[in-house]
Amino acid sequence: MGRGAYGSAGLLALALLTACSVNSPAEPPQGAAMAGGARGASVGVSPADKTANVPTDQPVVVSAQGGRLRSVRVDGGKSGPMKGVLSSDGTRWRSLGTARPGTAYTVTALSVDAAGKQSETTSTYTTVKGDKTFDIETITPNKDDTGLTVGIGMPVMIAFDKPVADRVAVERNLSIHSSKPVEGAWHWFDEKHVDFRPQKYWPARTKVRVDAKLAGVRGGPGMYGKRDVRLDFKIGRSQITKGSTNEHVLIVRRDGKKIREMPMSAGQGGQMKYHTTSGVHLAMSREPVTVMTSPGIGPGSAGYYQLTVYNTVRISNSGEYVHSAPWSVGSQGNSNVSHGCVNVSPDNASWFIKNTLIGDPIIITGTPRPLEPTNGWGHWQENWKQWLKWSSLKAGPTVLLH
């Protein structure tokens, strides 16, 4: 099972180029195509004129010697223009992002020499052809499930529609922006799933933006990203729920203050091993009605059950919920009698589902079965060193979101 990590760096202190003026000379890139003569600025363009099969991630670099660049345009026809940045002295322009595969680009540079004479340089190149594309199949959180205001434990989860071989190239084009500084990292669970989480919980009331600039990015041999994707969401108030299967109580704290105490009953254990998992769970869904069926046991077999339960908050993929259990109210607060879920009273379940955000941490302790990191959203079950073990890029701070 392969994994990875990523942290985005600070913003470049350069303006996006449309047309700029400059002052001093700089050396052209080695091997660049040269244009212009003794009377004008000498302009170099890389990739060189008429170059074919250029990698999509190779930048376009335009340099002026004996003058300055007034404007640079890189036009990809139907693929649109490429953005770029100009050096502060106006002698060097560099493209941003990636080109599109199988596309012919025309570079047009307008320069001016020391005497003020203008000249235009034109160069063309074509990028390598792509046999297929890959795309983001799902990105979480999403509006349908969360309303895009989520808890402080919420990871960013991206699922691709095809296996990604070049994880470094993909990660380099995934960035997290936040209104408050956060140290975080991407993490590959397998070749189709990459997730981001902070080193510590998100600060409450933080705005977050995910930029997946994957159009034209190489994902593997002959495979390139289909499109760019952007996601904006918000972190809500800080709410952490902690429950002990030994003390039989759930305590909810919001912004550090205790706001609710709920008697509970957890998994009974026993021969059927109905243990609630211990660890840092996250609220995964809020369901008014859930039909629960015994796992691996059919009708007529010992231990079979099928129950309709209400006001449920899912906390794992193995069928664990915090939910209303009127039948076990007498045991709540003193003993564990459930099939693995966390049972609370109808009134407490109604309050909990209304006051829980997707991504809120729900921490259960006291059982012999730990929550597996891949059992639902068990991202916080790995410490930071374990999380970074599956990194292909270094962790780092998020970009400040203005």
Side-chain angles (χ1 to χ4, degrees), residues 257-303:
K257 296 181 179 180
K258 180 179 174 180
I259 62 169
R260 191 87 169 185
E261 183 171 321
M262 301 180 290
M264 61 168 263
S265 179
Q268 61 189 270
Q271 186 176 1
M272 300 300 292
K273 297 182 180 180
Y274 287 131
H275 294 294
T276 304
T277 56
S278 285
V280 183
H281 306 75
L282 297 179
M284 299 172 61
S285 66
R286 297 164 295 194
E287 304 169 20
V289 181
T290 304
V291 177
M292 298 183 178
T293 305
S294 52
I297 302 174
S301 300

Side-chain angles (χ1 to χ4, degrees), residues 52-54 56 100-103 126-132 221-224:
N53 296 319
V54 175
T56 57
R100 303 299 184 264
T103 300
T126 56
T127 55
V128 62
K129 292 182 179 180
D131 298 326
K132 54 185 177 180
M223 185 177 73
Y224 297 87

Side-chain angles (χ1 to χ4, degrees), residues 66-110:
R68 52 193 170 87
L69 296 168
R70 178 157 289 179
S71 68
V72 176
R73 179 177 175 83
V74 181
D75 189 3
K78 293 182 179 180
S79 296
M82 294 179 65
K83 293 181 179 180
V85 291
L86 188 68
S87 62
S88 59
D89 63 3
T91 61
R92 185 178 176 89
W93 184 94
R94 189 181 190 278
S95 64
L96 295 173
T98 55
R100 303 299 184 264
T103 300
Y105 284 91
T106 300
V107 183
T108 304
L110 184 64

Side-chain angles (χ1 to χ4, degrees), residues 58-230:
Q58 180 174 329
V60 176
V61 178
V62 181
S63 298
Q65 185 177 17
R68 52 193 170 87
L69 296 168
R70 178 157 289 179
S71 68
V72 176
R73 179 177 175 83
V74 181
D75 189 3
K78 293 182 179 180
S79 296
M82 294 179 65
K83 293 181 179 180
V85 291
L86 188 68
S87 62
S88 59
D89 63 3
T91 61
R92 185 178 176 89
W93 184 94
R94 189 181 190 278
S95 64
L96 295 173
T98 55
R100 303 299 184 264
T103 300
Y105 284 91
T106 300
V107 183
T108 304
L110 184 64
S111 61
V112 59
D113 65 12
K117 181 179 179 180
Q118 291 190 152
S119 60
E120 185 177 271
T121 301
T122 301
S123 181
T124 62
Y125 74 95
T126 56
T127 55
V128 62
K129 292 182 179 180
D131 298 326
K132 54 185 177 180
T133 61
F134 72 98
D135 197 5
I136 290 179
E137 191 169 61
T138 61
I139 183 168
T140 306
N142 62 72
K143 187 174 183 180
D144 291 341
D145 291 342
T146 70
L148 294 180
T149 297
V150 298
I152 59 173
M154 188 74 210
V156 176
M157 295 173 281
I158 294 177
F160 298 106
D161 63 349
K162 295 182 179 67
V164 171
D166 196 340
R167 298 178 184 179
V168 171
V170 169
E171 272 188 51
R172 281 176 177 163
N173 289 277
L174 300 175
S175 60
I176 301 290
H177 308 250
S178 61
S179 59
K180 299 177 183 179
V182 173
E183 185 85 6
W186 291 95
H187 177 112
W188 289 88
F189 279 95
D190 58 41
E191 58 194 359
K192 294 178 70 174
H193 298 88
V194 63
D195 296 356
F196 177 95
R197 61 153 256 224
Q199 182 176 5
K200 300 178 181 179
Y201 294 142
W202 293 99
R205 301 170 184 87
T206 298
K207 295 179 181 179
V208 182
R209 170 170 291 172
V210 183
D211 267 328
K213 296 183 178 180
L214 298 176
V217 172
R218 185 182 183 273
M223 185 177 73
Y224 297 87
K226 184 177 182 179
R227 62 184 174 124
D228 295 338
V229 174
R230 170 172 286 182

